């Protein structure tokens, strides 16, 4: 398969060429082996076929594996012997399959980082950290640092997800309640009032009209919603669609600032971990670009890589993209000036992790009452609208 590649040579010259490989990671690895720094790699032409994505390893299992692995290496056991001992303890069949393949590649003379990169399931940050540890001869410290990084990131994600559980339950409850009332409750009252033959109040007529419209056009509405969702999904799978959606996320009214802070925390912690492990800045930026989940930020990092390669400071390079908060840029600038960039990046990550937690708590504290108020108002409106005719009949009697 052919890929259009843009990469930098050792002299800083940017070159564009066509390379042949099985996938993007394979081409990137070949360029790196030749001493080039990949900037952009994409498949030539337009194709709708997709390579089946390998099943990701559960984070908890991966952390446990690395904790056991580093303990065995610290005890003085060779890497191959350590992997042999770990194979009998791995419960996750997917992880075991990859570990067995890694062991076979190591026995054939491959480097640990190359064997792990070939699996295509391990995080790019992890593979880059292993490669840096191999170069520096300090694999134990690199793995320990990565485990700490992964535990911190996992803790932040879990706290954020747990804080969304109750609001999600309220939204689901509200949707279910509205559906049950429109589908079952209102039609029964409509049948009762039609038998009375009286003029109904305006709120009651409106409620019956909405219920009847939903019931008569249920499948049309349902299929329309499904169709819109499918079209959006197809659109977001294109590069331009994904980029526009990610850009909109960062600038959305309520969640934009929160998502920017979350991305900044992840980016800073990842970059700080790689730099502390001895990975060069440009290679670290390339790895961070691959691991970020937002294509708009990924494009910004690509632009920043070009500026850093030209000799500009990292803070100035990131500032020109317009996607990074001023406070983070100022802290990075101080880290560059004092020669403590990795430590300052970790401080940036800690700061934004705390800010995300505080702001998400405040936002959810605002959203939850709004959902409850909506439920209360809707129920009150339905009850009043349904019982108004009964009140009028009682008054007329």
């Amino acid at each position: 398969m052919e890929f259009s590649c843009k990469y930098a040579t050792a002299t800083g010259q940017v070159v564009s060429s066509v390379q042949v490989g099985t996938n993007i990671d394979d081409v990137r690895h070949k360029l790196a082996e030749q001493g080039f720094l990949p900037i952009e790699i994409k498949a030539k032409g337009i194709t709708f076929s997709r390579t089946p994505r390998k099943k990701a390893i559960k984070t908890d299992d991966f952390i446990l594996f690395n904790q056991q692995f580093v303990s065995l290496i610290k005890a003085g056991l060779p890497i191959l012997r350590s992997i042999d001992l770990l194979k009998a303890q791995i419960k996750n069949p997917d992880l075991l399959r990859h570990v067995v393949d890694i062991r076979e590649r190591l026995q054939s003379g491959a480097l640990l980082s190359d064997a792990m990169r070939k699996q295509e399931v391990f995080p790019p940050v992890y593979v880059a950290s292993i490669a840096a540890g191999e170069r520096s001869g300090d694999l134990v410290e690199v793995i320990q640092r990565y485990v700490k990084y992964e535990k911190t990131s996992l803790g932040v994600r879990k706290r954020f997800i747990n804080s969304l559980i109750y609001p999600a339950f309220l939204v689901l409850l509200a949707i279910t309640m509205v559906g049950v009332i429109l589908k079952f409750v209102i039609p029964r009252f409509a049948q009762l009032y039609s038998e009375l033959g009286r003029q109904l109040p305006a709120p009651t007529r409106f409620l019956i009209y909405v219920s009847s419209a939903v019931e008569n056009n249920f499948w049309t509405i349902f299929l329309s919603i499904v169709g819109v969702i499918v079209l959006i999904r197809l659109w977001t799978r294109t590069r331009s669609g994904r980029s526009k959606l990610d850009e909109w996320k960062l600038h959305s009214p309520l969640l934009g600032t929160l998502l920017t802070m979350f991305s900044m925390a992840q980016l800073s912690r990842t970059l700080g971990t790689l730099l502390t492990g001895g990975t060069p800045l440009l290679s670290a930026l390339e790895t961070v670009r691959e691991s970020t989940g937002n294509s708009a930020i990924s494009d910004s990092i690509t632009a920043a890589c070009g500026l850093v390669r030209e000799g500009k400071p990292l803070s100035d390079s990131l500032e020109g993209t317009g996607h990074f908060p001023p406070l983070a840029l100022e802290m990075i600038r101080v880290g560059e000036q004092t020669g403590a960039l990795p430590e300052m990046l970790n401080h940036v990550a800690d700061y934004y992790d705390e800010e995300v937690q505080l702001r998400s708590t405040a936002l959810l504290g605002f959203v939850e009452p709004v959902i409850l108020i909506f439920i209360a108002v809707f129920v009150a409106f339905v009850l009043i609208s349904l019982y108004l005719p009964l009140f009028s009949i009682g008054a007329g009697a």
Side-chain angles (χ1 to χ4, degrees):
M1 186 174 181
E2 293 185 341
F3 294 85
S4 298
C5 305
K6 185 183 293 184
Y7 54 89
T9 64
T11 61
Q13 182 182 5
V14 178
V15 179
S16 298
S17 68
V18 176
Q19 301 286 335
V20 178
T22 56
N23 52 47
I24 291 178
D25 287 336
D26 183 43
V27 174
R28 182 180 290 109
H29 183 55
K30 289 180 180 178
L31 291 174
E33 285 182 334
Q34 298 174 39
F36 301 136
L37 178 63
I39 300 174
E40 184 180 36
I41 303 174
K42 56 184 179 181
K44 287 195 66 179
I46 300 175
T47 176
F48 293 96
S49 62
R50 297 183 64 190
T51 303
R53 188 175 180 180
K54 295 187 178 181
K55 188 176 180 180
I57 305 299
K58 289 179 61 177
T59 304
D60 292 335
D61 292 338
F62 190 53
I63 291 176
L64 178 61
F65 166 77
N66 279 283
Q67 288 176 324
Q68 295 172 332
F69 185 43
V70 77
S71 297
L72 293 174
I73 296 177
K74 283 181 67 176
L77 293 177
I79 292 178
L80 277 175
R81 178 57 179 160
S82 300
I83 291 178
D84 286 336
L85 291 175
L86 286 175
K87 285 192 302 182
Q89 304 179 32
I90 297 176
K91 304 299 182 184
N92 187 317
D94 296 313
L95 177 58
L96 178 60
R97 185 174 65 256
H98 292 297
V99 169
V100 170
D101 186 73
I102 289 172
R103 201 255 185 233
E104 292 175 355
R105 292 178 184 274
L106 289 175
Q107 196 170 25
S108 301
L111 292 174
L112 179 60
S113 57
D114 291 337
M116 289 185 167
R117 183 181 291 109
K118 290 292 185 181
Q119 307 309 308
E120 299 181 359
V121 295
F122 299 123
V125 180
Y126 177 72
V127 177
S129 298
I130 295 295
E134 289 173 331
R135 288 195 299 266
S136 64
D138 199 358
L139 188 61
V140 170
E141 183 179 348
V142 165
I143 296 178
Q144 287 178 326
R145 190 179 299 114
Y146 177 82
V147 169
K148 181 180 178 182
Y149 154 82
E150 194 62 50
K151 283 183 175 180
T152 303
S153 300
L154 181 62
V156 172
R157 290 195 297 269
K158 283 186 175 181
R159 288 197 303 270
F160 186 72
I161 292 173
N162 288 338
S163 64
L164 295 176
I165 292 177
Y166 182 60
F169 170 75
L170 290 179
V171 171
L172 181 62
L173 177 64
I175 293 174
T176 303
M177 182 193 65
V178 171
V180 169
I181 290 175
L182 291 177
K183 177 66 176 176
F184 299 104
V185 178
I186 297 177
R188 293 182 180 274
F189 277 87
Q191 183 179 1
L192 171 64
Y193 294 146
S194 65
E195 295 174 356
L196 296 177
R198 290 187 175 230
Q199 178 68 21
L200 300 177
T204 308
R205 294 198 306 271
F206 171 76
L207 206 59
I208 292 175
Y209 171 78
V210 172
S211 175
S212 177
V214 171
E215 186 174 13
N216 295 333
N217 301 282
F218 174 79
W219 287 110
T220 302
I221 296 172
F222 176 77
L223 294 176
S224 298
I225 294 174
V226 171
V228 170
I229 293 174
V230 170
L231 289 176
I232 292 175
R233 291 272 297 179
L234 292 175
W235 177 66
T236 54
R237 286 183 179 180
T238 64
R239 180 174 177 81
S240 60
R242 181 66 180 173
S243 180
K244 289 179 181 178
L245 178 62
D246 287 340
E247 188 73 32
W248 177 83
K249 288 179 182 178
L250 297 176
H251 294 92
S252 58
L254 291 177
L255 297 178
T257 302
L258 195 64
L259 290 174
T260 299
M261 288 183 172
F262 185 80
S263 298
M264 193 67 220
Q266 291 292 97
L267 185 152
S268 300
R269 193 175 304 283
T270 304
L271 187 58
T273 300
L274 290 172
L275 293 178
T276 304
T279 304
L281 179 58
L282 280 173
S283 298
L285 286 173
E286 180 72 20
T287 302
V288 169
R289 188 190 70 172
E290 295 175 15
S291 59
T292 182
N294 188 292
S295 59
I297 293 180
S298 177
D299 292 340
S300 295
I301 296 175
T302 300
C305 283
L307 296 175
V308 170
R309 191 175 295 107
E310 294 174 1
K312 292 187 177 181
L314 176 62
S315 54
D316 294 342
S317 302
L318 294 176
E319 185 176 14
T321 64
H323 280 129
F324 300 93
L327 178 60
L329 294 172
E330 189 59 32
M331 294 176 72
I332 293 174
R333 187 172 288 112
V334 171
E336 290 176 317
Q337 294 171 352
T338 59
L341 181 58
E343 292 81 359
M344 189 58 70
L345 285 168
N346 287 323
H347 290 323
V348 171
D350 291 338
Y351 170 79
Y352 280 111
D353 280 340
E354 186 175 351
E355 281 292 301
V356 166
Q357 184 66 25
L358 292 174
R359 294 201 178 207
S360 61
T361 301
L363 179 61
L364 294 173
F366 167 77
V367 170
E368 290 171 9
V370 170
I371 297 174
L372 292 174
I373 291 172
F374 166 78
I375 294 175
V377 170
F378 178 77
V379 171
F381 173 75
V382 170
L383 290 176
I384 293 173
S385 300
L386 291 180
Y387 283 96
L388 270 178
L390 298 179
F391 295 151
S392 61
I393 292 173

